Tab-separated table of all heavy atoms in Angstrom:
chain	number	residue	atom	x	y	z
P	1	ALA	N	3.489	12.433	-13.884
P	1	ALA	CA	3.914	11.520	-12.811
P	1	ALA	C	2.739	11.130	-11.919
P	1	ALA	O	2.889	10.937	-10.710
P	1	ALA	CB	5.038	12.142	-11.978
P	2	CYS	N	1.549	11.009	-12.525
P	2	CYS	CA	0.338	10.693	-11.753
P	2	CYS	C	0.247	9.224	-11.377
P	2	CYS	O	-0.465	8.854	-10.440
P	2	CYS	CB	-0.901	11.104	-12.548
P	2	CYS	SG	-1.145	10.174	-14.077
P	3	GLY	N	0.936	8.360	-12.128
P	3	GLY	CA	0.897	6.929	-11.845
P	3	GLY	C	-0.283	6.196	-12.439
P	3	GLY	O	-0.467	5.008	-12.169
P	4	ASN	N	-1.099	6.875	-13.256
P	4	ASN	CA	-2.237	6.190	-13.873
P	4	ASN	C	-1.799	4.954	-14.647
P	4	ASN	O	-2.446	3.911	-14.593
P	4	ASN	CB	-2.980	7.138	-14.822
P	4	ASN	CG	-4.121	7.860	-14.150
P	4	ASN	OD1	-4.172	7.937	-12.935
P	4	ASN	ND2	-5.029	8.394	-14.941
P	5	CYS	N	-0.696	5.076	-15.392
P	5	CYS	CA	-0.250	3.958	-16.224
P	5	CYS	C	0.070	2.735	-15.385
P	5	CYS	O	-0.225	1.598	-15.771
P	5	CYS	CB	0.947	4.373	-17.076
P	5	CYS	SG	2.305	5.119	-16.147
P	6	THR	N	0.667	2.948	-14.217
P	6	THR	CA	1.019	1.809	-13.368
P	6	THR	C	-0.210	1.213	-12.684
P	6	THR	O	-0.238	0.011	-12.400
P	6	THR	CB	2.057	2.210	-12.310
P	6	THR	OG1	1.510	3.223	-11.469
P	6	THR	CG2	3.322	2.736	-12.949
P	7	GLN	N	-1.219	2.038	-12.412
P	7	GLN	CA	-2.423	1.538	-11.757
P	7	GLN	C	-3.262	0.664	-12.690
P	7	GLN	O	-3.889	-0.305	-12.251
P	7	GLN	CB	-3.269	2.706	-11.239
P	7	GLN	CG	-2.600	3.523	-10.154
P	7	GLN	CD	-2.256	2.706	-8.928
P	7	GLN	OE1	-3.135	2.167	-8.257
P	7	GLN	NE2	-0.970	2.600	-8.613
P	8	VAL	N	-3.309	1.010	-13.986
P	8	VAL	CA	-4.118	0.229	-14.925
P	8	VAL	C	-3.314	-0.868	-15.612
P	8	VAL	O	-3.893	-1.722	-16.292
P	8	VAL	CB	-4.770	1.140	-15.998
P	8	VAL	CG1	-5.691	2.151	-15.350
P	8	VAL	CG2	-3.721	1.830	-16.866
P	9	CYS	N	-1.998	-0.870	-15.432
P	9	CYS	CA	-1.170	-1.897	-16.061
P	9	CYS	C	-1.442	-3.254	-15.417
P	9	CYS	O	-1.461	-3.375	-14.196
P	9	CYS	CB	0.311	-1.545	-15.910
P	9	CYS	SG	1.411	-2.816	-16.595
P	10	PRO	N	-1.634	-4.305	-16.208
P	10	PRO	CA	-1.940	-5.627	-15.637
P	10	PRO	C	-0.724	-6.363	-15.102
P	10	PRO	O	-0.869	-7.441	-14.523
P	10	PRO	CB	-2.557	-6.376	-16.816
P	10	PRO	CG	-1.886	-5.786	-18.017
P	10	PRO	CD	-1.707	-4.322	-17.692
P	11	THR	N	0.487	-5.807	-15.302
P	11	THR	CA	1.678	-6.519	-14.846
P	11	THR	C	2.472	-5.773	-13.784
P	11	THR	O	3.283	-6.387	-13.090
P	11	THR	CB	2.631	-6.824	-16.026
P	11	THR	OG1	3.105	-5.592	-16.584
P	11	THR	CG2	1.931	-7.633	-17.100
P	12	CYS	N	2.289	-4.466	-13.621
P	12	CYS	CA	3.052	-3.719	-12.610
P	12	CYS	C	2.822	-4.323	-11.228
P	12	CYS	O	1.692	-4.672	-10.875
P	12	CYS	CB	2.633	-2.246	-12.607
P	12	CYS	SG	3.452	-1.250	-13.878
P	13	PHE	N	3.885	-4.402	-10.445
P	13	PHE	CA	3.761	-5.085	-9.157
P	13	PHE	C	4.422	-4.325	-8.002
P	13	PHE	O	4.583	-4.870	-6.907
P	13	PHE	CB	4.359	-6.496	-9.240
P	13	PHE	CG	5.831	-6.520	-9.592
P	13	PHE	CD1	6.805	-6.459	-8.605
P	13	PHE	CD2	6.235	-6.611	-10.912
P	13	PHE	CE1	8.153	-6.489	-8.927
P	13	PHE	CE2	7.578	-6.636	-11.254
P	13	PHE	CZ	8.545	-6.573	-10.254
P	14	CYS	N	4.789	-3.065	-8.200
P	14	CYS	CA	5.415	-2.310	-7.113
P	14	CYS	C	4.454	-2.201	-5.932
P	14	CYS	O	3.249	-2.016	-6.102
P	14	CYS	CB	5.795	-0.906	-7.579
P	14	CYS	SG	7.273	-0.874	-8.622
P	15	SER	N	5.012	-2.292	-4.739
P	15	SER	CA	4.201	-2.175	-3.535
P	15	SER	C	5.015	-1.536	-2.433
P	15	SER	O	6.244	-1.421	-2.516
P	15	SER	CB	3.688	-3.550	-3.081
P	15	SER	OG	4.780	-4.378	-2.693
P	16	SER	N	4.332	-1.104	-1.396
P	16	SER	CA	4.978	-0.599	-0.190
P	16	SER	C	4.247	-1.188	1.007
P	16	SER	O	3.154	-1.747	0.866
P	16	SER	CB	4.947	0.935	-0.141
P	16	SER	OG	3.613	1.396	-0.103
P	17	THR	N	4.837	-1.078	2.170
P	17	THR	CA	4.215	-1.618	3.379
P	17	THR	C	4.070	-0.521	4.425
P	17	THR	O	4.845	0.438	4.469
P	17	THR	CB	5.034	-2.778	3.963
P	17	THR	OG1	6.366	-2.329	4.248
P	17	THR	CG2	5.083	-3.943	2.993
P	18	ARG	N	3.040	-0.665	5.230
P	18	ARG	CA	2.760	0.275	6.303
P	18	ARG	C	2.326	-0.517	7.539
P	18	ARG	O	1.780	-1.612	7.435
P	18	ARG	CB	1.635	1.250	5.923
P	18	ARG	CG	1.904	2.111	4.706
P	18	ARG	CD	2.900	3.219	4.996
P	18	ARG	NE	2.971	4.161	3.884
P	18	ARG	CZ	3.732	3.990	2.809
P	18	ARG	NH1	4.457	2.886	2.679
P	18	ARG	NH2	3.769	4.903	1.856
P	19	GLU	N	2.525	0.062	8.704
P	19	GLU	CA	2.047	-0.529	9.940
P	19	GLU	C	0.822	0.242	10.406
P	19	GLU	O	0.883	1.467	10.568
P	19	GLU	CB	3.119	-0.481	11.036
P	19	GLU	CG	4.510	-0.936	10.604
P	19	GLU	CD	4.534	-2.346	10.061
P	19	GLU	OE1	3.693	-3.155	10.483
P	19	GLU	OE2	5.387	-2.636	9.199
P	20	HIS	N	-0.303	-0.448	10.567
P	20	HIS	CA	-1.516	0.166	11.097
P	20	HIS	C	-1.637	-0.210	12.572
P	20	HIS	O	-1.739	-1.387	12.921
P	20	HIS	CB	-2.741	-0.322	10.323
P	20	HIS	CG	-2.822	0.248	8.942
P	20	HIS	ND1	-3.922	0.086	8.124
P	20	HIS	CD2	-1.949	0.993	8.218
P	20	HIS	CE1	-3.718	0.694	6.977
P	20	HIS	NE2	-2.523	1.239	7.002
P	21	VAL	N	-1.653	0.824	13.409
P	21	VAL	CA	-1.673	0.598	14.854
P	21	VAL	C	-3.080	0.786	15.395
P	21	VAL	O	-3.760	1.775	15.062
P	21	VAL	CB	-0.712	1.562	15.569
P	21	VAL	CG1	-0.754	1.342	17.084
P	21	VAL	CG2	0.707	1.398	15.040
P	22	ASN	N	-3.536	-0.168	16.182
P	22	ASN	CA	-4.810	-0.063	16.889
P	22	ASN	C	-4.523	0.492	18.288
P	22	ASN	O	-4.013	-0.229	19.151
P	22	ASN	CB	-5.474	-1.434	16.979
P	22	ASN	CG	-6.815	-1.398	17.695
P	22	ASN	OD1	-7.166	-0.402	18.327
P	22	ASN	ND2	-7.565	-2.483	17.608
P	23	PRO	N	-4.840	1.776	18.523
P	23	PRO	CA	-4.471	2.379	19.817
P	23	PRO	C	-5.280	1.833	20.987
P	23	PRO	O	-4.896	2.019	22.139
P	23	PRO	CB	-4.757	3.867	19.596
P	23	PRO	CG	-5.808	3.893	18.536
P	23	PRO	CD	-5.516	2.735	17.641
P	24	VAL	N	-6.383	1.162	20.695
P	24	VAL	CA	-7.210	0.612	21.768
P	24	VAL	C	-6.713	-0.780	22.153
P	24	VAL	O	-6.403	-1.063	23.311
P	24	VAL	CB	-8.695	0.561	21.362
P	24	VAL	CG1	-9.523	-0.077	22.473
P	24	VAL	CG2	-9.211	1.960	21.032
P	25	GLY	N	-6.637	-1.654	21.142
P	25	GLY	CA	-6.194	-3.018	21.425
P	25	GLY	C	-4.693	-3.179	21.450
P	25	GLY	O	-4.178	-4.262	21.745
P	26	LEU	N	-3.972	-2.084	21.093
P	26	LEU	CA	-2.509	-2.091	21.090
P	26	LEU	C	-1.941	-3.157	20.155
P	26	LEU	O	-0.852	-3.687	20.393
P	26	LEU	CB	-1.955	-2.282	22.517
P	26	LEU	CG	-2.367	-1.208	23.531
P	26	LEU	CD1	-1.752	-1.515	24.886
P	26	LEU	CD2	-1.983	0.176	23.056
P	27	GLY	N	-2.675	-3.465	19.097
P	27	GLY	CA	-2.189	-4.390	18.087
P	27	GLY	C	-1.647	-3.632	16.889
P	27	GLY	O	-1.986	-2.474	16.655
P	28	VAL	N	-0.799	-4.274	16.141
P	28	VAL	CA	-0.208	-3.681	14.942
P	28	VAL	C	-0.431	-4.622	13.767
P	28	VAL	O	-0.154	-5.823	13.881
P	28	VAL	CB	1.300	-3.428	15.120
P	28	VAL	CG1	1.893	-2.860	13.836
P	28	VAL	CG2	1.557	-2.489	16.284
């Protein structure tokens, strides 16, 4: 379940999203 196959596959398209917070500028 390492995910190597999905990383090298030219068609896999799964993704996730994250919020990166800038604690100085208070932007996200």
